[in-house]
Amino acid sequence: MPRKIVKSKFFFEEDFVETIAEVSTEKYKDWENNDKLKVVGKPLSRIDAYDKTSGTAVYTFDVQLPGMAFARILGSPLPNAKLKKINIKKAKDLPGVLDILTSENTPKISWYNNTTLLFDPHVRCEGDEVAAVVAETEQIALEALDLIEIEYDELPFVSAAEDALKDKSVKLHDLGNIVRGKPDEYNRGNVDDGFKGADIVLEDKFTTQIAVHNPTEVHCSVASWVGSKLKVWDSTQGVFAVRNTIAESLNMPESEVTIITPYMGGGFGSKLEAGKYSVIAALLARNINRPVRISVDRKQMNLIMGNRPDSIQTLKAGVKKDGTLTAMTLTSVAAVGAYPNGGGCSGPVRQVYKCPNVKTTDYSVMINAGRARAFRAPGHVQGTFALESFIDELAEKIGMDPLEFRLKNYSETDPISGNPWSTKLLREAYKKGAEAFDWYKKRKTPGSDNGHIKHGVGMATQIWGGIGGPPANVTLKINNDGSVIVLGGTQDLGTGTYTFLAQVVSEVLEISIEKMQVIIGDTSAVPYGPQSGGSITSPTLSPAARDAAEQMKSKIISGASAVLDLPEDQLVYKDAVVYAKNDKSKSISIPELMRKMHEQMFITNGTRSPNPEHYALNTFGVQFAEVEVDTETGKIKVLKIVAAHDIGRVLNWKTCENQFHGGIIQGLGYALMEERILDYNTGKVLNTNYHEYKIPTIKDIPDIEIYVVSTGDTLLSNTGVKGMAEPAIIPTAAAIANAVYNAIGKRMKSLPMTSDKVLNVLYS
Ligand code: MOS
């Protein structure tokens, strides 16, 4: 069959890709019929479920090495200051203290795009690293931190993005406070013309809070040297990214650094990049010639390990009486903390609706507080809250049902590129979700319930990537007994990566899941692969796994052909046995084949094919929310969420539902309670623990119904998988906010929708 060559738009030199790439979908049509699949798509328990629930799974914090010492970090108590004097003598004299690092005795390793150092004598936020102690026990290390004496030159600080934009504001960096020196802008059509053509023009302002990732497992590393070689166990979403940063920081070849992440307890984006703590652990371990475990505590995590930036979003739209959007503009301002990061949230405005004239301006602004990091669907969660609240307002203004209004402005092609989508089943998602939720029956006039408990319903749309692409590899080895070693260029941040890799290989080779040994999260063993972020892990790795397995099947058939002395086209592969088509008595199993071939190990490497050109590639979905608002207490209770999404093929129903539940619950926390509170007078964070920073608990969790309206996206890859971990959280807060409006007839324009804000909106 002729191979159609497609060039990759990403990562590779184009002509290089041309020689190696093929559109795998031509070869792999047989997965189009979901019903034929035996393992893929099924609700299988995780292959590591027992290890995790029994406590035998080894997380970074569980790693125990002979002679291991323990390190902790001292953070700045001030939001902006220069270190005048550091005295470590008392700390050093404490029995059990082994070594101390500060800006005075540590190599100048640049960090955060060269805006600071590993230990910078200028601290720009509370928690910024000023020293690290390694000791015989963690307790001694903590005591020693208290004995380090530092004199600071206190500097004025800035705590809010709007203040940091003012001319007379404190400047965090030479370039000023705006990341990259200017806002991110996007423009299509002509918005002035668009507004002129509108019957109604509406403007409104929405704000969202800073939220902290707060994964269960705190950030930690164990660093160990053997001669010139460094091994680091790290709680990370990207073993290769961490390896590269550590190698670069320590000026070592990548071949001498190994990163291992067998299991980790969540990241949500806060563990996408290497942390300073990992490099600090490596330096300390080298200095004392012993393995070192370092970890932050919950407070440090809340201060400096990342957050979702806040936003002030001003939206303006023009709409015709029939509901047609004629123009939309968005200006957003986000506080991204003390070092550069992206705070833009205009993605949904640019891409969800057909609107021909769109202009967006995103300011990412630095302030003296812990730096933002990508957080589950960065930008889209805050952007969708504002856009989808605003769309509801527009629909009401012209007297249309919110769902009808969205269908009126449905975009059949990608409004950004003009390309068709590989698949877009949002209409089907709207239909499925509305039916399951009983939308048209539950809709009511806003605020029309009698009594102080008011019910309401709302909905919101979601768009995201979650597509992935090359480079990514999966390597397979067949053992002599017919069992399989699967080496995946990835790590499992807790989403079920081990399991889907085993499923895909099992499906193709018809070898049971129990015979799969999946090895991931080890840079010295596995082939290259990307960070687990952007919901790309399964859409990127599953095609590589299928490719490797299909190659392995070909290899087995070709080996059988030689041994049975029959041409390949007269052989069939079934249940890991190769049969002669016309004579079922002639057959050979994999163990027999291996023996005949003198136990030569069959190895294949599968790669992720490039994405198709000239198509837009996205995930879509809708969530419907039903709430109850107590107008006496201001308390919002979410009763039900119905989610209907287009996410391509589902590899495993159980882990898919896990992701939806997690995303929706995290979205509910964002909507109702989660908020990092920074005291403007002191520049300090007031709630750095689970007691004061509220996240949802079991009593807050509503009924959740999940519908997936898609099957495999055959244009996309040989598995047709799109990612769903981020789509799950994107529309939740907006759907809840719209339901609250429907309940009380007053719009909540500021997240989180705490009781005090609800009462304010109701009675002021
Ligand atoms: Mo995520 S923010 O894709 O880890």
Side-chain angles (χ1 to χ4, degrees):
M1 193 186 285
R3 288 180 169 186
K4 191 173 152 210
I5 305 300
V6 168
K7 292 180 210 164
S8 171
K9 280 187 237 166
F10 310 103
F11 304 108
F12 285 148
E13 295 294 328
E14 292 202 342
D15 47 0
F16 174 58
V17 167
E18 233 174 332
T19 61
I20 63 158
E22 67 185 89
V23 171
S24 38
T25 50
E26 304 233 332
K27 219 163 110 186
Y28 300 138
K29 283 279 186 202
D30 53 314
W31 275 28
E32 278 183 28
N33 184 352
N34 268 340
D35 299 340
K36 283 199 181 146
L37 301 176
K38 297 193 182 105
V39 188
V40 161
K42 300 289 177 278
L44 302 182
S45 292
R46 296 171 187 229
I47 61 174
D48 48 359
Y50 180 79
D51 287 348
K52 284 188 166 182
T53 49
S54 64
T56 49
V58 173
Y59 290 75
T60 301
F61 203 82
D62 299 324
V63 172
Q64 296 284 346
L65 299 176
M68 188 166 79
F70 301 86
R72 293 298 293 257
I73 291 167
L74 182 66
S76 164
L78 299 167
N80 199 17
K82 293 211 165 143
L83 275 58
K84 208 157 78 182
K85 225 188 242 169
I86 308 175
N87 185 354
I88 58 171
K89 182 156 188 328
K90 276 190 203 154
K92 198 121 204 205
D93 289 346
L94 185 71
V97 169
L98 301 165
D99 195 23
I100 298 176
L101 295 181
T102 69
S103 57
E104 290 174 354
N105 64 6
T106 306
K108 292 197 173 3
I109 296 169
S110 75
W111 213 260
Y112 299 141
N113 289 329
N114 303 317
T115 54
T116 186
L117 300 171
L118 190 68
F119 290 105
D120 197 316
H122 181 178
V123 290
R124 292 179 179 86
C125 69
E126 184 193 10
D128 245 356
E129 293 84 345
V130 293
V133 174
V134 64
E136 293 293 347
T137 68
E138 193 153 37
Q139 195 51 43
I140 296 171
L142 284 169
E143 281 172 37
L145 293 183
D146 282 343
L147 298 175
I148 296 175
E149 296 164 338
I150 301 184
E151 260 181 64
Y152 293 95
D153 264 337
E154 281 192 47
L155 298 169
F157 56 89
V158 58
S159 299
E162 282 185 313
D163 296 340
L165 282 174
K166 291 177 185 153
D167 284 343
K168 58 177 196 320
S169 166
V170 170
K171 294 271 174 288
L172 274 97
H173 299 282
D174 292 343
L175 204 59
N177 294 340
I178 301 175
V179 176
R180 284 182 303 273
K182 58 178 176 30
D184 273 346
E185 298 199 357
Y186 170 82
N187 210 341
R188 74 166 174 259
N190 183 322
V191 290
D192 294 332
D193 290 351
F195 286 124
K196 273 181 215 147
D199 292 319
I200 291 165
V201 174
L202 192 67
E203 188 175 317
D204 213 340
K205 192 167 155 180
F206 298 86
T207 63
T208 63
Q209 76 279 37
I210 286 180
V212 181
H213 303 71
N214 261 317
T216 316
E217 179 194 37
V218 292
H219 298 59
C220 56
S221 304
V222 174
S224 173
W225 291 83
V226 178
S228 65
K229 291 186 170 43
L230 171 65
K231 205 182 241 195
V232 181
W233 285 260
D234 198 42
S235 176
T236 177
Q237 295 172 236
V239 287
F240 288 99
V242 170
R243 181 196 65 178
N244 297 356
T245 303
I246 291 182
E248 204 187 314
S249 298
L250 301 181
N251 202 12
M252 293 167 69
E254 289 166 6
S255 56
E256 297 207 335
V257 181
T258 298
I259 308 297
I260 301 177
T261 307
Y263 291 103
M264 67 171 300
F268 308 116
S270 72
K271 296 172 182 170
L272 278 170
E273 48 189 275
K276 284 186 179 181
Y277 52 92
S278 305
V279 174
I280 292 169
L283 290 171
L284 288 169
R286 188 163 63 187
N287 286 359
I288 65 170
N289 200 19
R290 287 167 61 172
V292 168
R293 183 179 86 194
I294 196 164
S295 81
V296 303
D297 58 20
R298 186 65 52 184
K299 177 172 179 174
Q300 284 173 318
M301 181 202 275
N302 275 261
L303 287 178
I304 57 167
M305 292 299 153
N307 55 66
R308 184 187 299 286
D310 60 8
S311 73
I312 304 165
Q313 302 179 58
T314 308
L315 278 156
K316 189 176 163 187
V319 63
K320 287 190 177 150
K321 283 202 187 92
D322 69 353
T324 311
L325 282 165
T326 61
M328 268 197 287
T329 61
L330 166 68
T331 302
S332 82
V333 176
V336 301
Y339 305 99
N341 207 293
C345 51
S346 57
V349 170
R350 296 177 192 182
Q351 211 182 6
V352 177
Y353 297 108
K354 196 164 52 183
C355 189
N357 307 300
V358 172
K359 187 171 189 292
T360 63
T361 313
D362 291 307
Y363 290 86
S364 298
V365 185
M366 289 178 277
I367 63 166
N368 292 105
R371 174 174 164 271
R373 288 187 184 185
F375 186 169
R376 204 171 191 167
H380 276 52
V381 171
Q382 52 272 49
T384 298
F385 163 67
L387 172 65
E388 289 292 278
S389 296
F390 192 54
I391 288 289
D392 256 37
E393 284 192 85
L394 288 166
E396 186 176 42
K397 206 87 199 170
I398 56 160
M400 254 175 120
D401 175 84
L403 177 50
E404 297 305 318
F405 185 87
R406 285 168 171 89
L407 287 166
K408 176 83 192 170
N409 293 288
Y410 194 89
S411 195
E412 302 292 348
T413 53
D414 174 20
I416 295 176
S417 65
N419 286 334
W421 270 292
S422 60
T423 49
K424 178 178 182 177
L425 301 173
L426 180 58
R427 207 186 293 281
E428 289 74 0
Y430 281 146
K431 187 165 184 293
K432 181 78 219 173
E435 275 169 16
F437 188 79
D438 213 355
W439 170 254
Y440 291 102
K441 205 160 141 218
K442 282 188 180 160
R443 241 352 245 179
K444 62 176 63 159
T445 308
S448 58
D449 274 357
N450 294 320
H452 70 279
I453 304 286
K454 298 188 188 293
H455 277 80
V457 293
M459 60 166 294
T461 308
Q462 160 264 317
I463 195 166
W464 183 248
I467 301 303
N473 302 266
V474 171
T475 301
L476 296 185
K477 305 184 202 178
I478 294 263
N479 296 312
N480 294 328
D481 64 355
S483 63
V484 185
I485 299 173
V486 183
L487 295 154
T490 184
Q491 51 283 309
D492 191 344
L493 73 167
T495 52
T497 310
Y498 283 98
T499 307
F500 85 69
L501 287 174
Q503 281 180 275
V504 170
V505 175
S506 170
E507 182 72 46
V508 175
L509 293 178
E510 301 171 60
I511 295 171
S512 76
I513 290 244
E514 290 72 28
K515 290 187 181 167
M516 304 285 157
Q517 179 186 19
V518 182
I519 299 171
I520 57 178
D522 180 343
T523 58
S524 67
V526 306
Y528 181 79
Q531 289 144 294
S532 293
S535 303
I536 64 152
T537 306
S538 59
T540 297
L541 267 294
S542 66
R546 181 161 184 206
D547 186 30
E550 298 283 358
Q551 287 182 42
M552 182 60 79
K553 197 181 193 174
S554 302
K555 223 168 207 182
I556 293 165
I557 293 172
S558 121
S561 160
V563 170
L564 295 173
D565 198 18
L566 283 168
E568 286 183 29
D569 62 8
Q570 286 181 35
L571 299 174
V572 284
Y573 183 104
K574 178 116 189 44
D575 295 331
V577 178
V578 183
Y579 296 92
K581 247 184 212 163
N582 302 321
D583 180 0
K584 285 273 145 80
S585 69
K586 272 192 176 172
S587 70
I588 189 161
S589 67
I590 292 173
E592 285 167 336
L593 179 61
M594 294 299 145
R595 220 169 300 134
K596 287 261 164 63
M597 304 205 69
H598 305 289
E599 310 200 338
Q600 175 198 141
M601 189 176 235
F602 282 11
I603 301 175
T604 60
N605 188 63
T607 57
R608 169 61 154 88
S609 59
N611 289 315
E613 273 194 334
H614 310 304
Y615 286 98
L617 308 164
N618 287 95
T619 47
F620 305 91
V622 58
Q623 288 179 12
F624 294 84
E626 182 174 356
V627 305
E628 196 173 83
V629 184
D630 184 333
T631 57
E632 285 179 356
T633 63
K635 172 117 179 108
I636 297 167
K637 186 166 176 53
V638 181
L639 303 173
K640 184 171 190 165
I641 300 280
V642 170
H645 291 255
D646 167 5
I647 51 163
R649 179 188 307 288
V650 173
L651 287 170
N652 183 323
W653 258 110
K654 266 195 191 176
T655 51
C656 173
E657 278 196 326
N658 287 167
Q659 283 307 308
F660 272 111
H661 283 230
I664 287 165
I665 292 163
Q666 207 166 28
L668 183 149
Y670 183 67
L672 301 186
M673 61 194 86
E674 294 192 37
E675 180 170 22
R676 187 201 76 180
I677 297 172
L678 185 66
D679 180 355
Y680 285 12
N681 296 317
T682 60
K684 287 169 177 264
V685 178
L686 299 178
N687 54 342
T688 55
N689 55 54
Y690 276 148
H691 180 67
E692 286 151 335
Y693 180 100
K694 297 289 182 197
I695 62 168
T697 58
I698 196 73
K699 276 185 79 181
D700 302 303
I701 294 168
D703 285 342
I704 298 173
E705 280 178 27
I706 314 294
Y707 300 95
V708 173
V709 297
S710 49
T711 54
D713 182 337
T714 50
L715 279 170
L716 180 58
S717 72
N718 63 28
T719 60
V721 173
K722 304 181 197 173
M724 94 291 277
E726 283 159 304
I729 192 179
I730 292 171
T732 312
I736 293 171
N738 286 336
V740 169
Y741 176 77
N742 189 233
I744 63 175
K746 295 272 171 80
R747 191 159 286 282
M748 302 298 300
K749 298 177 187 176
S750 169
L751 293 184
M753 295 178 276
T754 45
S755 302
D756 56 321
K757 286 189 196 163
V758 173
L759 293 176
N760 246 319
V761 162
L762 280 171
Y763 303 112
S764 64

